[in-house]
Amino acid sequence: MTTPTQDSARPEMDRPGEGRLVHAPSDHPAIPRARVGVVLVNLGTPDATDYWSMRRYLSEFLSDKRVVDYPSWKWQPLLQLIILARRPFKSGEAYRGIWNTEKDESPLLTITREQTRKVAEGLEARHGERVMVDFAMRYGNPSTDSVLRRLQAAGCEKILFFPLYPQYASPTTATANDHAFRTLMKLKWQPAIRTVPAYFEHPRYVEALARSVREAYDAAETPPEVLVASYHGVPKRFLMEGDPYHCQCQKTTRLLREALGWEGDAIQTAFQSQFGPEEWVGPQTVEHVAELARQGKKHIAVVSPAFSADCVETLEEIQEEIRDAFLEAGGETFTYVPCLNDRDDHIDALLAIIDNELGGWV
């Protein structure tokens, strides 16, 4: 990440390097040079796996009206008195199974930091110190508010806000953008801000996905018969109310199939992580893979195109719960295709998207 230079001069100052505005008094405090900020944003992570850390994280997440839009008078008593009395134990156990013990943090945090480092290196090679890169989480730390304030204090008068969700959904992309704008509402001097749109059909993103699948298939001892593209689920009501997520997921699957040159049902779409009594978009991944096994498909692979970095939904839910459902139903080999994470082709795709969205700013 580019380190802020607190005493470098803006173009409107008297001479480069002095850090004083034209005609300003000699005792005017130095201010940073004007820059452009880029913020990579992901869902979030608990600070630790103990009960209270998990409860704080889950309370923030499940209190978000974009995630659970039931009336507060109905939802909050249920959440605070019943769900959060028990769920932090189960979630903490899941996170402990995947926790990066060396860094004492979640894999999502580790991977997002490395993605940010590589993106920062790429942008520095293109634009020098004019562009600063940082990352934030919608829930947990580093918070969106703290990162946007830090970039503004470092001289970023323009900020590109990049939710790392290839497919747009109101519980992911929209809530990330909402939170950024809430910070702007509290600032006396707001930076100009742009948000990056969904990139589910960007050619470089699709090609990086296809390459990751080819590599996983080449490394598999037994070639998978079916590839399941598993996306995070949403209530079916969201689709009916105009959220484009389901449609964008379906298109990503189609584009991936075309990039791989495959036919028919060689790749299928399913949705994971359902909870609550509502009807969700389907089929459910955990049920779908079991049905594939019962149909005689003994060797499958699963890829997660909606996740830009491996996290509890992929490292625990897919590689344990969904894998177990497939094997218990008679499946024999289960291949997980890792998320794109900090692969070079993924970073190249992110850089191409960023370069396009920075048009006119750098």
Side-chain angles (χ1 to χ4, degrees):
M1 284 172 262
T2 306
T3 303
T5 305
Q6 295 293 338
D7 59 355
S8 56
R10 291 181 179 173
E12 69 271 27
M13 296 176 188
D14 44 5
R15 286 193 298 275
E18 284 197 359
R20 293 198 310 274
L21 295 170
V22 176
H23 307 306
S26 59
D27 61 349
H28 191 285
I31 60 175
R33 175 180 57 186
R35 290 179 173 180
V36 174
V38 175
V39 183
L40 305 181
V41 189
N42 219 316
L43 183 74
T45 172
D47 294 324
T49 62
D50 62 277
Y51 173 83
W52 289 108
S53 296
M54 292 303 311
R55 182 174 179 124
R56 283 192 300 273
Y57 173 71
L58 291 172
S59 180
E60 183 182 9
F61 173 51
L62 295 174
S63 294
D64 186 347
K65 285 287 191 178
R66 290 283 196 179
V67 175
V68 182
D69 59 358
Y70 301 148
S72 296
W73 65 266
K74 179 187 295 185
W75 174 242
Q76 282 298 320
L78 177 64
L79 175 64
Q80 300 298 331
L81 299 178
I82 299 178
I83 296 174
L84 292 181
R86 297 173 297 179
R87 185 158 176 172
F89 292 109
K90 182 178 180 181
S91 295
E93 181 181 0
Y95 269 95
R96 282 191 290 276
I98 65 166
W99 202 249
N100 182 342
T101 55
E102 181 181 349
K103 294 182 178 293
D104 192 23
E105 63 189 24
S106 74
L108 179 67
L109 181 57
T110 304
I111 294 166
T112 305
R113 183 186 297 110
E114 187 62 13
Q115 289 171 329
T116 304
R117 183 187 69 80
K118 290 187 174 183
V119 167
E121 288 179 352
L123 289 175
E124 185 174 11
R126 291 164 166 78
H127 308 294
E129 295 187 354
R130 293 186 60 197
V131 178
M132 290 184 61
V133 184
D134 210 334
F135 73 95
M137 299 293 177
R138 169 59 184 90
Y139 314 104
N141 296 303
S143 70
T144 298
D145 184 87
S146 66
V147 171
L148 290 178
R149 289 176 182 272
R150 181 162 64 245
L151 290 178
Q152 185 201 40
C156 293
E157 297 179 5
K158 301 173 182 177
I159 295 177
L160 181 67
F161 193 77
F162 192 170
L164 292 175
Y165 309 113
Q167 299 79 20
Y168 174 96
S170 57
T172 53
T173 312
T175 190
N177 292 338
D178 287 348
H179 213 46
F181 290 120
R182 288 192 193 101
T183 294
L184 264 62
M185 290 171 64
K186 296 179 285 186
L187 297 177
K188 294 295 184 184
W189 183 4
Q190 293 180 336
I193 192 164
R194 291 176 179 172
T195 60
V196 176
Y199 55 98
F200 65 98
E201 57 186 351
H202 194 283
R204 292 199 183 184
Y205 158 71
V206 174
E207 182 51 41
L209 271 180
R211 191 175 293 116
S212 72
V213 171
R214 292 190 199 100
E215 291 174 3
Y217 271 52
D218 289 344
E221 291 186 9
T222 304
E225 301 165 85
V226 175
L227 174 66
V228 177
S230 180
Y231 301 84
H232 199 290
V234 294
K236 188 174 182 179
R237 171 171 54 88
F238 286 22
L239 171 62
M240 298 298 102
E241 293 171 349
D243 191 309
Y245 177 72
H246 180 266
C247 299
Q248 293 184 0
C249 292
Q250 296 288 354
K251 186 168 184 179
T252 296
T253 299
R254 176 175 65 79
L255 293 173
L256 176 57
R257 177 175 58 79
E258 292 173 357
L260 290 167
W262 290 357
E263 299 290 339
D265 291 336
I267 176 170
Q268 302 176 15
T269 299
F271 297 87
Q272 63 185 85
S273 308
Q274 177 175 333
F275 67 91
E278 282 195 80
E279 181 182 2
W280 283 46
V281 296
Q284 293 185 49
T285 306
V286 67
E287 296 176 357
H288 188 63
V289 299
E291 181 60 26
L292 286 173
R294 288 190 287 268
Q295 292 174 359
K297 304 295 185 183
K298 301 301 184 183
H299 314 286
I300 69 168
V302 176
V303 66
S304 300
F307 297 97
S308 61
D310 276 306
C311 53
V312 69
E313 285 87 355
T314 63
L315 299 175
E316 194 277 336
E317 185 177 0
I318 291 179
Q319 296 202 66
E320 295 185 25
E321 178 186 351
I322 292 171
R323 178 195 295 267
D324 289 348
F326 174 70
L327 297 178
E328 289 170 5
E332 296 179 5
T333 61
F334 182 100
T335 300
Y336 173 63
V337 182
C339 291
L340 294 179
N341 295 325
D342 63 337
R343 292 171 54 106
D344 289 344
D345 50 6
H346 186 211
I347 300 303
D348 288 343
L350 298 180
L351 286 169
I353 295 165
I354 291 168
D355 281 339
N356 181 68
E357 298 300 324
L358 286 177
W361 276 7
V362 293

